[in-house]
Amino acid sequence: MGKKKEIVIQVMILLVTIILAAIISKEQFLSSNNLMIMLHQIPEFGLIALAVMVIMLLGDINLSVIAMTKLAGIVGGLFMISVKLPESILVISGIIIMIIIGLACGVLNGALVSFVGVKSIIATLAMMLLFEGVALDITHGGAVSKFPSTFLWIGNESIAFVPVPMIIFLIFGWVTWYILKKTQTGNLIYKVGEDKSAANYSGIDVKKIIFFAYCYAGILTGIAAIIMTSRYNSIRADYGTSYLLKSIVAVILGGVNVNGGKGSVIGVMISVCTLSVLSRVLGILEMNTYLIDFLMGLILLIVLFINYYLQKDKKITGE
Amino acid sequence: MKKKHKIAQEYYLAIISVLFVLLISSINPNFIKISELSYLFKSNAVYFIGAFGVLLVMILGGIDLSIGSMIASVAVIVAQLLKMYSINVWQAFIIACVLGMVLGWINGMLVSKLNVSSVIITIATMTIYRGMIKYFIKKRYILGLPQKITSFGRLTIAGIPIQIIFIIIIGLITYFILKYTTIGRGIYAIGGNEKQAIRRGYDKHRITVFTYAYCGLMAGISAFIHLTLIGEAYIEGYSGYEITFIIMLVLGGVSIVGGYGSIKGTIFGVIFIIILKNGFTYIHISVFLHKILIAVIFIVLVSYNVRHNKKTDKKQFVEYD
């Protein structure tokens, strides 16, 4: 019951944002061109947000998601422009490489957090530094670009008016939902997030669950890397830095508990749309980009305030 | 048992630093000159003073990711004020302190009141501070500050650069606060075991706010030091520094779960990273490799540390083992 109510609220917020956006920006926002741009923008951000979410369900935080995405994109991209192969094989192997690099980064994160036992924030900070360093080292700060045209199809074309990135996003949104709700491992992620030591005492292999979550987040960033590189047709070591805050805002706005154990994929997907609408409108209005960052921070604080007061009420009513 | 190990760890770091200095200077003998080392510490004074602030936050068991943003914001505001009004250097110093303290106080209030992880709060305030200043000042660089600020930066007292005097004084003050005041002991107590500390009568809210405000104050002083060194301010400056601070402190023996950390360890940690960073340049290692090397060294040391602690001190580090 409570969950449904939350999702209804989420949808309401989204609708209100869209209506306000349409009013403020006049017809510009609702033009099919603009909507198409937005539908192309949401997926990469959404996938990164899902990666952040899976970790936050554990009560951990993953600061290295952006670095992972960039590294995966850069390695895969470099492979595609430097190896001579038939185009279709090249693109498929490029995609596979990106996913593998994402997964490998996730494995490193997961191993450091679960098996070595370093706190998630320190581990992912260190890994962020490492991944950024590697990305910087192999590109020397320059851009990797001019990918095969088949690869660009993924980021820029549509099937029956639905952009391909959106389809990928919906598929992986569903997969994430399925894993979290329908499989035992997913359920255990929630349990571990609620209380690690209780989970341990009840015989759950906490380390394995944590490791799995980081690996899955790694795969998601690999997918995000595919969309990101093909959409821009280039990738650089300093792309997408503003996504970290934005993805955390989206996850918390989507109703995920910062301390772990609570949150739904649908909520996050809706809040990703809300934030995308918001930043698109601010973009249309030619607002200062700094102001957008500032607003994202402010929204995060406001959501935290609201959550705090909601929780306070719950405590009083004894829920 | 634990204390013994921790002290040893700080000295390990010092020994590694010395070895590294010797290694670098065997390749490039310029590195070990006193003037060179003094310049190195002077030009990195921002790291020392910022680290003292973050140290308190980390002993409390939190993390301040907004420190770089606070330094840059305060530096830009003070630089702008110096340019527009005829304030003298000490007025600028006091303004920097107050501004920093206000920003830190906001962090502290939010962390204490909202009961959310300090990581999330300070990520939010990090962008809010920088974004706000960017929006209001509308310039990315503040150049051409009055001469008085940079000439203040060149002062020496008994041959010691003024920035190093600042480090020593602030280090001593911080040491005193941590060691001999109720609030300082409270920071350790709450970082070590929150419930017990509250039961013993420590005021958690007051201590939290004080800690973050102190961190902000350090950011303010760092901003002032930055201006005396460089004589210009850049709003994008110091982004990414928060990570460097955390690395320095964790290497210096600060426990990430709170409750442990010392000024001595902090100084060793800062010196270690400074020597590492600058040493790479002296022996001509490509700039692009610096990040990787520091990350690898950090990961290895932290992993070793955590494994070692698991063996010696089961209580603190193994929550679910």
Side-chain angles (χ1 to χ4, degrees):
Chain A
M1 190 61 194
K3 250 178 211 162
K4 269 194 184 148
K5 217 164 136 194
E6 248 171 43
I7 288 170
V8 170
I9 294 173
Q10 293 277 341
V11 175
M12 297 275 275
I13 296 175
L14 176 61
L15 287 178
V16 169
T17 322
I18 292 176
I19 292 168
L20 279 179
I23 295 171
I24 294 172
S25 65
K26 289 169 191 138
E27 273 131 43
Q28 242 176 319
F29 179 77
L30 289 176
S31 69
S32 61
N33 189 17
N34 181 57
L35 289 179
M36 237 19 198
I37 293 175
M38 258 189 46
L39 285 180
H40 278 97
Q41 264 176 355
I42 291 175
E44 59 188 51
F45 166 44
L47 285 167
I48 292 172
L50 285 180
V52 173
M53 172 205 173
V54 173
I55 304 301
M56 207 175 270
L57 287 178
L58 290 171
D60 284 3
I61 189 159
N62 190 349
L63 298 175
S64 66
V65 276
I66 312 298
M68 286 156 80
T69 310
K70 284 186 287 193
L71 184 61
I74 284 172
V75 175
L78 272 179
F79 176 81
M80 276 190 286
I81 58 170
S82 54
V83 178
K84 289 262 177 292
L85 276 176
E87 198 165 302
S88 53
I89 300 172
L90 196 64
V91 170
I92 291 171
S93 44
I95 291 171
I96 292 172
I97 287 176
M98 286 188 198
I99 297 175
I100 289 176
I101 296 289
L103 177 63
C105 294
V107 167
L108 280 176
N109 269 333
L112 201 57
V113 173
S114 64
F115 297 121
V116 183
V118 181
K119 269 223 152 192
S120 69
I121 172 147
I122 293 294
T124 53
L125 258 183
M127 284 302 170
M128 173 175 115
L129 205 65
L130 182 67
F131 300 152
E132 275 185 1
V134 174
L136 210 61
D137 188 53
I138 54 182
T139 59
H140 280 215
V144 181
S145 59
K146 299 205 180 84
F147 303 121
S149 54
T150 323
F151 183 66
L152 301 182
W153 178 84
I154 299 169
N156 299 295
E157 295 303 319
S158 320
I159 299 171
F161 296 109
V162 185
V164 180
M166 204 62 201
I167 296 173
I168 299 174
F169 176 47
L170 290 176
I171 291 173
F172 278 91
W174 181 81
V175 170
T176 313
W177 174 82
Y178 186 83
I179 289 178
L180 288 176
K181 294 284 168 186
K182 300 285 169 187
T183 67
Q184 209 199 348
T185 321
N187 281 323
L188 292 182
I189 289 181
Y190 283 97
K191 291 246 167 63
V192 171
E194 264 170 35
D195 194 333
K196 282 195 178 81
S197 37
N200 188 46
Y201 287 128
S202 53
I204 298 168
D205 191 346
V206 174
K207 286 183 176 177
K208 215 174 85 190
I209 300 294
I210 294 179
F211 185 68
F212 170 81
Y214 277 91
C215 292
Y216 183 66
I219 294 175
L220 287 177
T221 57
I223 310 283
I226 298 169
I227 295 174
M228 199 187 216
T229 32
S230 72
R231 209 165 72 77
Y232 293 118
N233 192 14
S234 89
I235 181 105
R236 258 172 68 163
D238 54 358
Y239 268 5
T241 35
S242 66
Y243 274 140
L244 179 61
L245 173 78
K246 243 173 108 178
S247 54
I248 292 175
V249 178
V251 170
I252 295 175
L253 186 66
V256 176
N257 188 345
V258 187
N259 301 319
K262 194 178 145 289
S264 73
V265 173
I266 299 164
V268 172
M269 286 171 87
I270 296 171
S271 70
V272 162
C273 296
T274 312
L275 285 183
S276 299
V277 170
L278 196 70
S279 52
R280 184 69 200 150
V281 169
L282 294 173
I284 290 177
L285 297 177
E286 287 173 0
M287 285 265 210
N288 201 322
T289 45
Y290 310 140
L291 200 63
I292 298 179
D293 275 358
F294 167 69
L295 281 177
M296 287 294 157
L298 208 61
I299 292 171
L300 177 53
L301 282 186
I302 292 170
V303 174
L304 290 176
F305 263 109
I306 294 170
N307 282 350
Y308 171 70
Y309 282 106
L310 287 180
Q311 275 165 15
K312 218 176 178 185
D313 286 351
K314 266 184 197 164
K315 262 179 213 156
I316 293 165
T317 53
E319 192 175 309
Chain B
M1 182 68 190
K2 177 187 148 208
K3 201 163 185 189
K4 212 172 179 180
H5 158 68
K6 281 287 188 180
I7 289 171
Q9 188 207 323
E10 288 159 17
Y11 288 112
Y12 281 143
L13 203 64
I15 292 166
I16 299 174
S17 303
V18 171
L19 285 178
F20 197 71
V21 169
L22 292 177
L23 176 77
I24 295 166
S25 42
S26 67
I27 301 172
N28 186 340
N30 280 331
F31 191 66
I32 203 148
K33 282 181 189 158
I34 292 291
S35 61
E36 202 70 29
L37 283 178
S38 149
Y39 177 75
L40 204 61
F41 292 150
K42 172 187 159 180
S43 55
N44 285 295
V46 171
Y47 277 126
F48 283 97
I49 294 170
F52 293 146
V54 183
L55 169 70
L56 264 66
V57 174
M58 286 183 70
I59 294 175
L60 193 70
I63 269 178
D64 195 335
L65 291 177
S66 69
I67 176 103
S69 164
M70 288 197 285
I71 297 176
S73 306
V74 174
V76 165
I77 298 176
V78 174
Q80 186 74 350
L81 290 176
L82 271 166
K83 257 184 105 169
M84 281 162 63
Y85 305 101
S86 60
I87 51 174
N88 68 30
V89 174
W90 289 108
Q91 280 165 330
F93 175 71
I94 289 166
I95 292 171
C97 289
V98 172
L99 279 174
M101 214 150 40
V102 169
L103 297 182
W105 179 81
I106 295 172
N107 276 342
M109 287 304 275
L110 290 171
V111 170
S112 174
K113 284 286 173 200
L114 291 183
N115 201 17
V116 176
S117 144
S118 55
V119 179
I120 307 279
I121 300 279
T122 51
I123 282 184
T125 53
M126 170 172 93
T127 46
I128 289 180
Y129 295 157
R130 222 190 273 271
M132 204 160 61
I133 304 299
K134 271 178 190 165
Y135 184 68
F136 284 118
I137 300 232
K138 293 207 165 64
K139 274 184 284 186
R140 311 189 84 199
Y141 293 93
I142 312 279
L143 305 171
L145 296 190
Q147 280 290 312
K148 58 193 170 196
I149 187 96
T150 39
S151 55
F152 178 80
R154 282 193 292 273
L155 281 182
T156 54
I157 293 173
I160 306 168
I162 189 92
Q163 286 84 1
I164 295 181
I165 306 268
F166 264 94
I167 297 173
I168 294 168
I169 293 173
I170 290 164
L172 287 174
I173 294 173
T174 314
Y175 178 78
F176 178 80
I177 290 176
L178 281 178
K179 195 106 193 176
Y180 297 108
T181 64
T182 323
I183 281 195
R185 300 320 293 170
I187 294 174
Y188 279 107
I190 288 181
N193 188 336
E194 194 181 307
K195 274 182 194 154
Q196 240 177 51
I198 293 171
R199 248 180 249 144
R200 271 196 226 149
Y202 284 113
D203 184 346
K204 192 194 162 202
H205 173 70
R206 217 179 104 222
I207 289 173
T208 309
V209 174
F210 170 83
T211 309
Y212 283 88
Y214 191 80
C215 185
L217 172 68
M218 291 299 124
I221 298 175
S222 299
F224 175 76
I225 296 284
H226 163 84
L227 290 179
T228 66
L229 282 167
I230 317 279
E232 56 189 57
Y234 175 40
I235 187 63
E236 296 286 359
Y238 295 98
S239 50
Y241 268 49
E242 47 283 342
I243 299 165
T244 321
F245 281 123
I246 294 172
I247 291 178
M248 288 167 168
L249 288 164
V250 170
L251 289 182
V254 178
S255 155
I256 185 68
V257 287
Y260 194 90
S262 69
I263 293 287
K264 196 170 53 191
T266 306
I267 292 175
F268 285 148
V270 176
I271 290 179
F272 178 67
I273 291 290
I274 291 175
I275 287 177
L276 214 60
K277 273 192 163 179
N278 292 279
F280 288 153
T281 324
Y282 271 85
I283 50 178
H284 306 297
I285 290 179
S286 150
V287 178
F288 299 114
L289 279 174
H290 289 188
K291 261 191 184 173
I292 303 181
L293 287 173
I294 290 181
V296 168
I297 292 172
F298 181 58
I299 291 168
V300 169
L301 286 176
V302 167
S303 307
Y304 170 77
N305 201 1
V306 170
R307 296 311 298 180
H308 197 89
N309 276 318
K310 271 192 176 171
K311 277 178 211 148
T312 53
D313 181 20
K314 284 241 165 196
K315 259 184 222 154
Q316 196 185 353
F317 284 92
V318 189
E319 289 161 35
Y320 47 85
D321 224 16

